[in-house]
Amino acid sequence: MAKRVSPKLAGPLMPVPARWRDEVERILITDRQLAHRIYEMAGEIERDFAGHEMVVVSLLNGTVMFLGDLIRHLCLPLRLDFMGVSSYGAGTESGDLVFTKELRLDVAGRDVLLVDDILDTGKTLSRVIPKLQALRPRRMKVCVLLDKPARRVEKVSADYVGFTIPDVFVVGYGLDYAEKYRNLPFVGVLKPEMYGKTAEKPATRLVKKLKPVQ
Ligand code: PRP
């Protein structure tokens, strides 16, 4: 089992950049903390996966920054694939899931590293893990940047956790609210008054028009 470390989160001294100050309450994890922890995580993963060809399966869309930073530190032969999965739910609640993109690579007999940005209620991973297990990988480990155990409703955990966070609504570094804020270089806490500004995620509306992949 990989060592689980939850480094200290950012203190009150790290100011939110002026551009985001109206929307973001505070910085929870700075870009430097992210970089340092992800480098450590890559070391743990490298040790565990050494000697085997791995397939990294990343869940769209929130993993975009984490994935890029993680795999550049993995000095292992790996192949990369994506699964599209999104919740119907609007705003800050996790709703029903739809799969919008299936894997292209064959993971049978391979070592799989499943990457997600946040483990929240656990609804996403509790659907994705059995779906991947059914493809008969040699073994599978789960890696998340953020773990928010206070909101868990499904019995699911990750093998590699970047940061365990409190029950606050986080955005940035790939994580969105209504598809915004993914480009912030830090993980920040969204001001509660921002939640009501968009009644429904724009992308959720798009997903509803798509035929979900079974
Ligand atoms: C987010 C996030 C995780 C999931 C975690 O995905 O990327 O995959 O929610 O929540 P859960 O543990 O409560 O299921 P979302 O459906 O918002 O899509 P996104 O990655 O495109 O933001």
Side-chain angles (χ1 to χ4, degrees):
M1 177 65 74
K3 191 175 72 164
R4 297 199 186 171
V5 186
S6 189
K8 272 179 72 108
L9 302 175
L13 294 178
M14 188 60 67
V16 176
R19 166 62 185 87
W20 302 108
R21 216 162 282 163
D22 290 344
E23 294 151 84
V24 175
E25 191 173 270
R26 63 190 162 99
I27 294 181
L28 189 66
I29 312 173
T30 66
D31 54 351
R32 287 186 63 172
Q33 288 171 313
L34 287 163
H36 179 72
R37 179 66 189 127
I38 291 167
Y39 178 77
E40 283 182 347
M41 293 174 85
E44 295 167 24
I45 293 165
E46 219 176 84
R47 280 192 294 279
D48 293 350
F49 282 78
H52 298 279
E53 268 201 36
M54 72 193 290
V55 180
V56 176
V57 175
S58 192
L59 300 187
L60 298 169
N61 295 328
T63 53
V64 55
M65 292 218 196
F66 176 42
L67 177 75
D69 286 343
L70 182 72
I71 64 171
R72 80 182 69 199
H73 293 306
L74 289 178
C75 296
L76 293 171
L78 64 82
R79 294 183 302 156
L80 179 61
D81 203 352
F82 297 90
M83 281 177 84
V85 54
S86 190
S87 53
Y88 266 104
T92 61
E93 292 302 317
S94 300
D96 294 336
L97 290 182
V98 284
F99 286 91
T100 56
K101 183 198 172 298
E102 293 290 349
L103 280 188
R104 290 176 59 232
L105 296 180
D106 183 7
V107 298
R110 308 274 182 189
D111 283 9
V112 169
L113 181 72
L114 174 59
V115 176
D116 204 359
D117 53 345
I118 183 166
L119 173 52
D120 190 358
T121 64
K123 288 178 183 173
T124 302
L125 287 179
S126 69
R127 285 280 307 279
V128 170
I129 290 171
K131 198 172 162 70
L132 277 171
Q133 293 286 17
L135 301 174
R136 299 182 177 280
R138 193 179 80 92
R139 65 173 177 157
M140 181 167 68
K141 298 262 188 188
V142 177
C143 172
V144 297
L145 177 65
L146 307 177
D147 184 9
K148 198 195 278 185
R151 295 225 328 145
R152 199 81 88 252
V153 296
E154 299 289 343
K155 199 170 180 301
V156 56
S157 61
D159 300 287
Y160 309 96
V161 173
F163 300 85
T164 301
I165 63 169
D167 187 9
V168 287
F169 194 80
V170 283
V171 293
Y173 199 69
L175 290 105
D176 74 310
Y177 173 66
E179 294 302 324
K180 286 177 66 186
Y181 310 110
R182 293 195 197 271
N183 56 319
L184 305 190
F186 52 84
V187 174
V189 178
L190 192 64
K191 287 189 175 177
E193 57 263 38
M194 300 311 299
Y195 301 168
K197 290 213 167 171
T198 309
E200 189 180 18
K201 284 187 176 186
T204 304
R205 286 198 290 274
L206 178 63
V207 163
K208 282 177 179 169
K209 287 180 193 156
L210 293 173
K211 188 174 182 298
V213 178
Q214 296 306 314

